[in-house]
Amino acid sequence: MIQGLTPLETEALVLSARVAGWSVLICLPAGIAVAWILARRRFPGMWLLDGIVHLPLVLPPVVVGYVLLVLLGRSGLIGGWLHTTFGVTLAFSWQGAAVAAAVMAFPLMVRAVRLSLETMDRGLEDAARTLGAGELRVWMTVTLPLCLPGILTGTILTFARSLGEFGATITFVSNIPGETRTLPLALYSVTQVPGDPVPAIRLALISVAVALLALVVSELMARRMSARLGAGP
Amino acid sequence: MITVDIGVRLGSFTLDAGFETPSNGVTALFGRSGSGKTTIVKSIAGLVRPDRGRIAVHERVLFDRDAGVNVPTARRNLGYVFQEGRLFPHMSVRRNLLYGRRDRGGHGPGLEETVTLLGLADLLDRLPSSLSGGERQRVAIGRALLAAPRLLLMDEPLASLDTERRAEILPYLAGLRRLRDIPIIYVSHQLDEILSLADWLVLVSDGRVAANGPVEQVASEWRLTPGLDRDETVVLACRVRDHDPEFHLTRLAWTGGDLWVAGIDAEPGREVRLGIRPRDITISLLGPEQTSALNVFPARITGFEPAGRAETDVLLSAGAAILRARVTRRSASALGLAADMQVHALIKASGIDVTVRHSG
């Protein structure tokens, strides 16, 4: 129980943080990998990958939620297999909410990381190679550290986007108290009940506070990073 | 021996270059910007993949298109100093220096020696963004050396620096010549850098090797490609003999005799290189007595090359060198100059550029 919050608020806040956290954990490795492919590789059909990655950005979230339900629902193509093989059910569970949030936020992560991969000085990677570094070492010691600002931006955007995810979540995993009722869904629920406006206002303020906190933390980290990388070229 | 014989196509530019250079000392790749020098070094480093040919360093084949050999850059055991330094911005100078450190295997200096050689002691804990251009370049050179390279590639390491910074680094580069076991390939379009550093000269022009040989030979036989600032300058190797403090002159020993130049700051025995422009050599049929020129040498005319409509270059064999004198066609005709004639070449002491040869 968090001081000053009602059980319902605490539940929604903790659940939101958990969903957003897992969404970030899913998006980070996958997003960096896809961003690298899009930034560095050239292959036929690249436009298709690029398009699919960006779809959640332009599709109505409800459509994304519905597609997830069709694919990942218990009788869905992938969902059925997951259920029979691993006994995992995504539909109507908080794990499903994390997946929905991750899919919706994925393009933001990819764009942020891709941008930093495309703008970094690739000559530095060549310099590392001439110094005897193999591809893995080049990646770990040069590429990744120099992309950290982009990765940080992507992480914050993903986290914030996941906190606010509504349409795909409610379509895919519904609005189950304690399981999939995140902050926005809780807010939606209380606004459906006529009467006292205070619970809705409180939930809205909590959302604002969490978002502001995320922004401040990211700003602090970004400053430390740019001080480290140096202001010069 | 370093052997390069490659063809590279990059867009509309075609490089087709072949040369061999000795595996010690400094080989300069010299030519205009865009002539293909950098493409050659990048190919040696494996950063550009040639479309045909072969590259070998010390008998080790790094690239052979026909045999399907293409050693990855990381395993070519090179040092590469880039024009713009390319220090890792997120690492301290120390970490930059140690990034490529390999087991020594007898090649190159260790950390302490490198730090001393390049004057880096005060910079070790700083970040590259806080360094001046000259300091960055010194760190870049140190970093390349510490990778224990079997071949050091330097791609216009001074080009991004102003004159003062260049003067600051040149002595450090000269210090590298002491590391006799690391051959250096040095790319530049600055004649003075090459005269002070290089032993061997590969002249690159329009994607081809136009000449290849010891510096004096190439520079005196060849009009350095048009567009370079001191074309047709003849280069002579000399040694400082002594100084005349009263008149502030320096006497140099040259295969053609003694040569006086305006006083330079170099102790006797030092090697220097002279750049002599064709306009600073005149031809006389008389002996040395009746002229104000300090430097008069017997010479034999070996040929003529037209230089514009009114002038002609007279090629002269003096000592072991070929000199080039520019005279008007009218004078040439009045003196009756012809091939195989014995004449005197007069070189104005004030018209000679002297570059002190940096050597270990």
Side-chain angles (χ1 to χ4, degrees), chain A residues 26-161:
Chain A
I26 296 168
C27 281
L28 260 180
I32 291 173
V34 170
W36 183 81
I37 292 171
L38 289 176
R40 296 292 171 82
R41 298 275 118 178
R42 292 287 166 269
F43 56 92
M46 208 175 91
W47 61 272
L48 188 64
L49 178 64
D50 202 11
I52 290 173
V53 165
H54 282 88
L55 263 186
L57 214 53
V58 290
L59 272 182
V62 178
V63 175
V64 175
Y66 178 69
V67 170
L68 286 176
L69 195 59
V70 169
L71 289 177
L72 297 176
R74 192 180 289 193
S75 53
L77 278 171
I78 306 168
W81 174 78
L82 279 177
H83 183 70
T84 51
T85 319
F86 301 104
V88 175
T89 314
L90 289 175
F92 310 113
S93 70
W94 72 265
Q95 290 93 337
V99 170
V103 169
M104 290 302 296
F106 193 63
L108 301 176
M109 176 69 85
V110 171
R111 288 173 74 89
V113 178
R114 179 182 181 178
L115 187 69
S116 60
L117 277 171
E118 279 171 349
T119 51
M120 74 166 280
D121 179 3
R122 298 194 57 187
L124 294 172
E125 296 175 341
D126 276 346
R129 291 185 186 106
T130 64
L131 291 165
E135 290 308 307
L136 183 66
R137 180 151 183 250
V138 171
W139 171 258
M140 296 304 290
T141 58
V142 178
T143 317
L144 204 56
L146 290 177
C147 285
L148 270 186
I151 293 172
L152 176 69
T153 308
T155 301
I156 298 298
L157 287 174
T158 302
F159 188 78
R161 179 73 185 78

Side-chain angles (χ1 to χ4, degrees), chain B residues 310-326:
Chain B
E311 294 173 316
T312 182
D313 278 358
V314 183
L315 304 182
L316 302 162
S317 156
I322 301 287
L323 300 177
R324 181 183 283 270
R326 183 156 302 172

